[in-house]
Amino acid sequence: MKPELTIQLMDTHAGGDVSRIVTGGIDLLPGDTVRAQMEYLRDDADGLRRLLLEEPYGVPEMSVDLLVPPTDPRAAAGYIIMEVMGYPIYSGSNTICTATAVLELGIVEKQEGKQNFLLESPAGLVQIEATVNDGVVEAITCEGLPSYIHTYKATIDVPSLGEITYSVAYSGGFYALVDAASLGFDLTLDEERKLAEAAHAIVEAIQAEGGFSHYTLGDVGPLPFLHFMGPVEHVAEGYYRSRSATYVHPGVICRSTTGTGTSARLALMNYEGSIRPGDKLETISLRETGFIGEFTSVEQEGEYEVIKNSITGKSYVIARSDIVVNCDDPMVECGSLHHILSSRHTSKITPKS
């Protein structure tokens, strides 16, 4: 009789973006850093990402976060982010969801009020501030990656759309930043399909021209993201609001405005001189959910003004489940998955004392 293979999940969402937190059922991965373990998954075990983001178990609009033991003793847990485009080294919404799961699972014990702890992402250590009221995780603030403008107001000819003006930011991945109104969009939910079609065409055209190089990471591959920007509303002193929509190539409009999209927008506002350290930007999604980005400081790195920032949002737990992996199911491809499914040595994370 074949053993039953299961993967334990906690499904969460932040701003509407569902993050499936893998809490058990996966063997310990090789690699002396979380980044190295991510690269192993990417190169040798991509079946886990595909299993949970494709039929019959999931859909491409979801994300997956695999909890792993931290390799840095200062961190409470490590996590590896998986999306339709591959393996981003960082994501704000996924970090908010993972931090919430770490608290709900008791890996970090909840404390009333504000508490701080570290997570280890493929990009490195991430500072987390959680706000807990009556045992409920009301908010997570996480560091955004240092963000900057790589290209400002370039133009490109896009089939069916004509000449498009865009800027490129790095905020954990390279983003094309496009003014929504210039394409006739108001950033409302009924425009979602047309936004995805326009973004797909723009990203394909930008990718055809070549990739972008990070000032320390070097070549990080083709541009995977586009962020549509609505008008900026000055709500109060040091507080701004803007409708926004983030696209992930190929084909996905995120339910939330995304943390890295918000960080990219802060970098552009700094570049244009419209915000100062301490100012905040609330981005509002097609579904009327929001994240708050805070511009904390700026440093000069060679030719680039690099901003430090943080992202605040709330995550909700929506399900706890076991996924039964049927490798004899014709819709399931286990070839790049079976060797990491749990046998004896699982990636158990011990609570921080």
Side-chain angles (χ1 to χ4, degrees):
M1 185 175 178
K2 292 182 181 179
E4 185 175 89
L5 301 172
T6 63
I7 296 173
Q8 288 74 55
L9 300 177
M10 177 183 285
D11 283 358
T12 63
H13 87 82
D17 278 326
V18 174
S19 292
R20 317 192 82 175
I21 314 298
V22 181
T23 63
I26 302 299
D27 281 338
L28 293 168
L29 301 176
D32 58 3
T33 65
V34 170
R35 178 69 170 268
Q37 293 174 31
M38 178 205 78
E39 292 168 350
Y40 173 81
L41 269 186
R42 182 193 66 198
D43 299 338
D44 296 292
D46 190 47
L48 178 63
R49 181 183 69 89
R50 297 204 310 273
L51 179 86
L52 295 177
L53 295 181
E54 296 176 1
E55 293 185 79
Y57 295 96
V59 294
E61 288 81 3
M62 293 177 168
S63 298
V64 176
D65 298 287
L66 172 62
L67 288 178
V68 297
T71 62
D72 189 311
R74 294 171 292 175
Y79 64 111
I80 298 169
I81 307 158
M82 292 166 262
E83 296 183 357
V84 63
M85 48 73 69
Y87 294 80
I89 63 171
Y90 191 69
S91 160
S93 61
N94 282 286
T95 300
I96 290 167
C97 287
T98 300
T100 301
V102 163
L103 289 162
E104 296 294 345
L105 291 164
I107 296 170
V108 172
E109 185 179 353
K110 290 181 187 176
Q111 300 172 15
E112 285 295 302
K114 295 188 183 297
Q115 63 185 109
N116 294 278
F117 57 93
L118 293 169
L119 294 177
E120 186 180 358
S121 77
L125 289 176
V126 182
Q127 179 70 48
I128 304 295
E129 181 184 85
T131 302
V132 178
N133 291 324
D134 294 329
V136 177
V137 182
E138 294 289 356
I140 296 290
T141 297
C142 58
E143 292 178 281
L145 287 194
S147 306
Y148 67 96
I149 295 301
H150 180 283
T151 303
Y152 184 65
K153 289 196 173 180
T155 58
I156 191 168
D157 188 62
V158 178
S160 78
L161 295 177
E163 187 176 85
I164 301 296
T165 298
Y166 68 97
S167 299
V168 174
Y170 181 86
S171 55
F174 278 108
Y175 268 85
L177 298 168
V178 176
D179 177 65
S182 69
L183 292 171
F185 290 120
D186 296 317
L187 297 179
T188 54
L189 187 56
D190 61 303
E191 298 173 335
E192 187 168 37
R193 177 173 292 185
K194 290 184 177 179
L195 285 164
E197 291 170 352
H200 186 279
I202 296 168
V203 170
E204 287 278 304
I206 293 172
Q207 286 187 352
E209 289 198 340
F212 295 89
S213 181
H214 188 275
Y215 65 91
T216 58
L217 300 174
D219 183 9
V220 294
L223 178 142
F225 304 116
L226 184 144
H227 191 74
F228 287 109
M229 306 178 294
V232 175
E233 176 189 1
H234 192 183
V235 179
E237 182 64 30
Y239 196 96
Y240 301 87
R241 183 180 293 130
S242 177
R243 301 193 67 81
S244 306
T246 289
Y247 166 84
V248 182
H249 198 62
V252 172
I253 293 288
C254 295
R255 270 55 178 168
S256 79
T257 53
T258 72
T260 48
T262 303
S263 296
R265 189 74 183 278
L266 288 172
L268 181 62
M269 292 176 74
N270 170 67
Y271 189 90
E272 293 179 333
S274 59
I275 55 172
R276 298 175 296 178
D279 288 353
K280 295 180 179 180
L281 170 70
E282 182 181 8
T283 50
I284 305 297
S285 75
L286 304 183
R287 288 168 171 76
E288 308 302 327
T289 61
F291 290 150
I292 297 173
E294 181 174 356
F295 170 32
T296 55
S297 65
V298 62
E299 298 176 355
Q300 193 72 31
E301 296 285 351
E303 62 182 299
Y304 301 114
E305 281 195 348
V306 179
I307 71 160
K308 293 185 178 180
N309 62 99
S310 65
I311 304 297
T312 299
K314 180 172 181 175
S315 173
Y316 297 84
V317 176
I318 56 177
R320 294 179 175 89
S321 62
D322 287 353
I323 294 290
V324 178
V325 183
N326 296 304
C327 289
D328 55 354
D329 185 335
M331 293 188 69
V332 178
E333 195 282 299
C334 283
S336 59
L337 172 66
H338 67 86
H339 59 298
I340 62 169
L341 290 174
S342 229
S343 50
R344 293 180 300 277
H345 305 294
T346 62
S347 54
K348 183 174 177 60
I349 304 170
T350 56
K352 283 286 186 183
S353 57

